[in-house]
Amino acid sequence: MTIEADKVRPLPASAASAACRTALASALLRYAPHVQLDKNGYTLEMEENLISGVRPEDFVSDLIQGDGNELGGKFRAAHSSSALAVNTFAPFKADPSALRLPGGDRFTHLSFERKCPHGLRGRRSPNLDLVAEHPGGIVAVESKFLEPLSPHKPEFAPAYFREITDSRRDTAWFAEMTRLTLNPSAYRWLDAGQLIKHALGISFTFPDRATTLLYLFWEPLNPDAHPVFEQHRQEIRQFADAVNGNGGPVFTALSYPDLWASWEDGGLPSGLQEHLVRLRSRYIVSILRD
């Protein structure tokens, strides 16, 4: 189900975010007409933000142990990145081997809001939206929804430079962290600082396994409605060029719509094909231009 877009002038980023929120709230109400949303686009109950077939028992215990308080309120937003990840991946909990992601397949275990300690004293461990384990290694997922429509500035505590003395210090990830302390405006829409912290945590938590950091991001059906979406993609490409090729996790990025398309092309069990239809009905929208 899509909401038609008019072809007028591009929106400022803040207005683009508002347009996305409106389109996503409308899509949720069309998908589940019985649901009530408040003025901010939040459901009354957490369960109302789940698509059919997603069961709380497949993710609630994982989210409770995380540090992000994901169930404390923001999970109820029609534009919640945590709910997007849960709605996408929770049905694979029953059969992880059916999941296909860049960097792995034949998965054996999935966990949401997985803490990946980075070994720094007194610093909170990174929480990954999803960690998928397979015989060849780990795929860790960072899920983004509307977050790239707000500017980000990287910040690193001195402990990152003082206490990381192992092989991570020789990676391109550490080099990019150093560069961003000197030039914090290198990225605007991509939260590069968070991704670097995630990579350092993944490397410390899984030192002897091949690892991939998969950046999953949402876009509307008509991303050309605003240049911020292409600017975000340009920053992703710039970041991938900077951090890949010299140790640490392999960084790769994919939009949610492209991920879902790959599942359709690659084949899914019949029950999961129905899940794919529900995902698209719930999250594939076009945004109105101003």
Side-chain angles (χ1 to χ4, degrees):
M1 176 185 308
T2 61
I3 301 170
E4 295 299 325
D6 299 325
K7 293 184 178 180
V8 198
R9 61 184 176 85
L11 300 164
S14 58
S17 178
C20 289
R21 290 179 184 229
T22 298
L24 290 162
S26 297
L28 173 54
L29 293 176
R30 295 190 184 204
Y31 176 81
H34 64 283
V35 169
Q36 293 183 347
L37 295 178
D38 66 17
K39 63 180 182 180
N40 296 315
Y42 284 64
T43 62
L44 300 181
E45 302 293 337
M46 175 268 291
E47 290 82 1
E48 294 176 326
N49 204 22
L50 303 177
I51 65 173
S52 301
V54 175
R55 308 176 304 170
E57 56 264 36
D58 286 334
F59 68 89
V60 167
S61 60
D62 286 355
L63 266 61
I64 288 174
Q65 63 83 36
D67 291 327
N69 193 26
E70 296 296 341
L71 294 175
K74 56 186 177 181
F75 188 92
R76 295 184 289 107
H79 51 275
S80 164
S81 59
S82 178
L84 173 59
V86 163
N87 277 329
T88 297
F89 295 113
F92 291 96
K93 275 265 194 163
D95 182 13
S97 65
L99 178 62
R100 298 292 184 272
L101 292 174
D105 56 16
R106 295 180 292 117
F107 291 100
T108 57
H109 182 73
L110 308 178
S111 54
F112 294 101
E113 285 298 304
R114 171 73 178 267
K115 293 181 182 179
C116 292
H118 41 38
L120 304 184
R121 295 185 297 272
R123 308 298 304 180
R124 177 178 292 181
S125 298
N127 285 240
L128 276 298
D129 288 296
L130 180 79
V131 170
E133 302 181 39
H134 62 97
I138 299 292
V139 178
V141 175
E142 176 60 22
S143 170
K144 295 300 183 189
F145 209 157
L146 302 189
E147 293 90 346
L149 299 181
S150 299
H152 301 277
K153 182 178 180 180
E155 295 182 352
F156 302 98
Y160 282 91
F161 299 94
R162 183 179 62 248
E163 297 182 28
I164 294 179
T165 58
D166 54 29
S167 60
R168 291 175 292 172
R169 198 173 187 91
D170 300 322
T171 65
W173 291 94
F174 195 93
E176 186 68 354
M177 180 172 65
T178 302
R179 185 178 80 90
L180 291 183
T181 62
L182 301 174
N183 181 20
S185 61
Y187 304 96
R188 179 172 175 81
W189 309 114
L190 181 72
D191 193 348
Q194 183 191 50
L195 290 171
I196 290 171
K197 293 172 184 177
H198 284 351
L200 295 173
I202 294 166
S203 294
F204 186 82
T205 304
F206 306 105
D208 301 320
R209 304 186 69 176
T211 55
T212 296
L213 175 53
L214 172 59
Y215 181 73
L216 280 181
F217 59 97
W218 177 88
E219 286 181 335
L221 190 61
N222 59 331
D224 61 338
H226 190 276
V228 67
F229 295 106
E230 176 55 29
Q231 291 166 5
H232 176 234
R233 281 185 174 257
Q234 289 174 0
E235 292 186 1
I236 291 171
R237 292 190 288 269
Q238 174 187 341
F239 185 75
D241 288 343
V243 300
N244 280 331
N246 189 26
V250 173
F251 175 76
T252 188
L254 195 65
S255 73
Y256 270 102
D258 286 343
L259 174 67
W260 299 333
S262 74
W263 289 351
E264 183 175 57
D265 296 340
L268 287 174
S270 58
L272 290 173
Q273 286 285 0
E274 296 171 3
H275 172 61
L276 183 57
V277 171
R278 298 185 191 111
L279 280 172
R280 286 172 160 165
S281 177
R282 172 68 177 80
Y283 289 113
I284 298 294
V285 302
S286 295
I287 62 171
L288 291 171
R289 302 175 191 257
D290 195 10

